[in-house]
Amino acid sequence: MKIIDRYINEMLLATPETPLWNQEMIRLKKKASWNYIDGCMMTAFLTLYKNSQDKKYLNFLKNYIDYFINKDGQILTYDRKKFNLDNINEGKVLFELYDIFKEEKYRKAMDRLYRQLRDQPRTKEGNFWHKGIYPDQIWLDGLYMAQPFYLEYEKRFNNKKNYDDILEQYRQVKKLLKDNATGLYYHAFDSSRTIFWCDEKTGQSPHFWLRAIGWFYMSLVDILELLDDAEDMDFFKEISSIFQDLTDSLLQYQDDSGMWYQIVDRGSTIKNYLETSGSAILSYALFKAVHLKIIPPSYRKNAERAFSGICQKYLFEKQGRMNLGGTCMVAGLGGKEKRDGSFEYYMSEPVVENEAKGIAPFILAYLYSQL
């Protein structure tokens, strides 16, 4: 689709100092940093390169990443001691950059990120804290941010020694965050049962936030892609089962438009809205899972409906440039803002245009729709 190719090429005008897609940075006038939002876009550009072999995408990716990584593998603005799983996400592209360019700074940077995971505080169940500032908390977001990097590092450099740890963390997420009635997953869990947003008995946050479920869902298919079918068969089967179950649950809530709502199970409740980033993530993961033969080809129609729904509702031209609307800028729990995880809270966060958390999975969905 030429209109989408045009939108992608406009993104190539970005620089680390002026990322066209990072609305949080733009609105808050933050300085350039190593962050998960840019990491989403770097993954999209890497996939663009791998699919097309057009070096303009590879050169853009390398130049962007090289702004942050020096010859010793030190990462500009990155602080390991914050124990923030979000900061692992941008490191996923380093494996391919290392393979292509053979520059040791990429391996050293990967080692730095891996050391964070090695030392990351854990809940009593054995799962990584989402961030150092959120003790005892597991967020679905963190599975996408950290686990595919963790697994690929183990596969390449550590003889898969910690595969059991990765699988057990997924088992615990299923046990602690899945709602058996709907098959959906809550945004987060507090092992201590002390944070104000959690249920005192279950430790779960109150709602099923679309993008959080999307992060988790996308992590599953990315993990499955990295596993070796024969050697890792038991691991593969267990993650595949989680993916299949969640797929069938999510499709019960797919709207007639093809998209999903910000709070998945609340439908067209007043203020609830069809949300771009989560819908794009689910579309991408479905396309990819069909391509990898994780799920049957019949599921492709659901991915197509989602992608088409986004294009029809939120992709438009304004002042000579393409725009993608309908993306929740950010949502979280706790913190200084006292985010309580209520339905009203999720509805209060800004809905923006041209935000990476929508753009990146939209590009990925587009690319996998072509396969």
Side-chain angles (χ1 to χ4, degrees):
M1 296 172 67
K2 290 183 179 180
I3 192 171
I4 298 173
D5 291 332
R6 174 182 163 191
Y7 188 53
I8 291 168
N9 286 328
E10 287 174 355
M11 293 298 105
L12 291 170
L13 300 173
T15 68
E17 296 92 336
T18 57
L20 302 179
W21 53 71
N22 193 327
Q23 294 302 319
E24 289 182 56
M25 182 180 293
I26 293 168
R27 289 183 173 217
L28 299 175
K29 298 181 179 179
K30 293 181 179 179
K31 294 181 179 180
S33 66
W34 180 264
N35 65 81
Y36 82 95
I37 300 169
D38 289 357
C40 293
M41 290 300 298
M42 296 305 105
T43 296
F45 282 111
L46 176 60
T47 307
L48 277 162
Y49 167 67
K50 290 166 71 174
N51 283 22
S52 69
Q53 293 300 302
D54 188 333
K55 289 196 173 180
K56 70 181 178 183
Y57 301 121
L58 179 62
N59 292 337
F60 176 85
L61 167 64
K62 185 179 187 337
N63 290 337
Y64 204 99
I65 291 295
D66 284 354
Y67 176 87
F68 292 101
I69 297 179
N70 70 15
K71 63 181 181 179
D72 297 319
Q74 294 177 329
I75 304 171
L76 180 68
T77 76
Y78 168 70
D79 183 353
R80 180 180 64 87
K81 294 182 180 179
K82 288 185 176 180
F83 295 114
N84 184 345
L85 291 184
D86 288 347
N87 288 334
I88 304 298
N89 186 48
E90 196 162 5
K92 294 174 186 175
V93 299
L94 298 177
F95 298 101
E96 295 280 353
L97 289 177
Y98 183 55
D99 288 345
I100 295 167
F101 295 103
K102 314 299 183 187
E103 295 181 25
E104 280 303 308
K105 67 178 182 180
Y106 298 128
R107 172 62 196 269
K108 291 176 181 178
M110 286 186 277
D111 291 344
R112 291 179 187 278
L113 295 171
Y114 182 79
R115 282 198 292 273
Q116 176 188 320
L117 295 181
R118 183 192 62 195
D119 299 335
Q120 188 82 5
R122 294 177 182 246
T123 68
K124 65 178 182 287
E125 295 84 5
N127 284 63
F128 293 142
W129 289 8
H130 185 58
K131 297 181 184 180
I133 60 172
Y134 298 138
D136 301 309
Q137 295 175 28
I138 306 168
W139 292 23
L140 290 181
D141 317 32
L143 277 295
Y144 175 73
M145 302 302 162
Q147 297 296 344
F149 176 91
Y150 185 14
L151 188 138
E152 187 158 8
Y153 189 98
E154 288 290 326
K155 180 178 181 177
R156 286 171 174 256
F157 306 128
N158 203 32
N159 200 30
K160 305 183 180 181
K161 289 181 181 178
N162 288 306
Y163 267 29
D164 287 345
D165 177 40
I166 297 167
L167 178 56
E168 183 59 27
Q169 291 197 49
Y170 275 99
R171 287 172 177 160
Q172 289 299 321
V173 168
K174 179 182 176 183
K175 176 182 177 181
L176 300 169
L177 284 92
K178 182 181 178 182
D179 174 62
N180 291 325
T182 62
L184 302 175
Y185 286 69
Y186 292 100
H187 186 173
F189 166 81
D190 176 27
S191 181
S192 70
R193 274 57 164 197
T194 58
I195 193 68
F196 63 87
W197 51 254
C198 81
D199 183 280
E200 292 180 1
K201 291 184 179 180
T202 67
Q204 296 162 341
S205 59
H207 285 289
F208 307 118
W209 178 41
L210 176 60
R211 190 160 70 229
I213 295 174
W215 290 132
F216 177 64
Y217 191 61
M218 187 161 49
S219 81
L220 294 168
V221 75
D222 288 354
I223 286 285
L224 289 167
E225 182 181 31
L226 289 166
L227 292 173
D228 299 317
D229 289 353
E231 189 175 335
D232 308 318
M233 180 57 70
D234 291 342
F235 195 161
F236 188 92
K237 285 182 176 178
E238 197 160 343
I239 297 297
S240 293
S241 176
I242 295 172
F243 184 85
Q244 180 70 68
D245 289 347
L246 182 52
T247 297
D248 292 335
S249 297
L250 283 165
L251 296 188
Q252 298 300 312
Y253 296 95
Q254 189 172 18
D255 183 67
D256 289 343
S257 67
M259 297 180 68
W260 283 264
Y261 280 90
Q262 166 82 333
I263 299 300
V264 179
D265 63 329
R266 295 289 289 271
S268 56
T269 304
I270 294 175
K271 294 187 178 181
N272 205 12
Y273 59 93
L274 296 167
E275 201 276 332
T276 293
S277 67
S279 296
I281 288 171
L282 300 189
S283 178
Y284 154 65
L286 285 165
F287 275 129
K288 186 172 182 176
V290 169
H291 177 67
L292 296 174
K293 299 181 180 180
I294 296 164
I295 55 177
S298 58
Y299 287 90
R300 183 180 172 90
K301 66 179 183 296
N302 298 97
E304 291 171 343
R305 286 180 56 218
F307 188 74
S308 176
I310 296 167
C311 291
Q312 290 179 26
K313 188 171 180 63
Y314 288 121
L315 185 64
F316 62 98
E317 184 176 357
K318 182 172 67 176
Q319 297 178 344
R321 296 199 63 179
M322 297 310 303
N323 295 270
L324 183 66
T327 296
C328 173
M329 187 170 76
V330 64
L333 295 161
K336 295 178 181 178
E337 304 89 346
K338 299 294 182 183
R339 300 169 295 185
D340 64 1
S342 64
F343 178 82
E344 292 72 23
Y345 161 68
Y346 287 109
M347 296 305 112
S348 73
E349 288 288 6
V351 181
V352 298
E353 298 170 2
N354 304 321
E355 161 57 43
K357 294 182 283 290
I359 297 168
F362 180 76
I363 292 172
L364 291 170
Y366 168 63
L367 293 172
Y368 274 88
S369 75
Q370 306 300 302
L371 299 179

